Amino acid sequence: MLERELQVSNKLGLHARAAAKLVQLLSGFQSQVTLLGRGREVNAKSIMGVLLLAAAPGATLVMRAEGADEAEALAAAAALFERGFDEDG
């Protein structure tokens, strides 16, 4: 299992559109991926789970991945977070 801290860097936080992008990205990987934040652990491939975190701009989340492509899944998700979910601003 691999684990990585990620910071929500877009100005709207982990809202519906950003959460959908994350879920869509991770659905292409076989690994189990979870997100931890605000005392909760959720399935990062579930839109409802990701939205449940209500992660605001600047929030720090921990992502865990376990499986055959765990490193690739974490790297892809980290890149999406770093790009601000491809949103302007």
Side-chain angles (χ1 to χ4, degrees):
M1 176 180 8
L2 296 177
E3 182 175 293
R4 184 165 180 176
E5 251 186 34
L6 302 170
Q7 185 168 16
V8 179
S9 60
N10 59 324
K11 66 181 178 181
L12 297 176
L14 201 46
H15 59 91
R17 190 171 45 249
K21 281 187 179 186
L22 178 63
V23 169
Q24 183 178 16
L25 172 74
L26 291 175
S27 69
F29 294 94
Q30 293 179 345
S31 295
Q32 297 292 325
V33 185
T34 58
L35 268 176
L36 292 83
R38 300 181 61 196
R40 298 176 188 230
E41 182 172 0
V42 300
N43 179 354
K45 294 182 179 183
S46 162
I47 186 97
M48 294 305 292
V50 174
L51 289 173
L52 187 64
L53 293 175
T60 300
L61 303 173
V62 175
M63 181 172 280
R64 292 181 181 155
E66 185 170 10
D69 53 4
E70 59 191 24
E72 294 86 354
L74 271 184
L80 183 64
F81 271 77
E82 289 166 7
R83 293 193 314 265
F85 299 92
D86 298 325
E87 297 175 356
D88 293 329

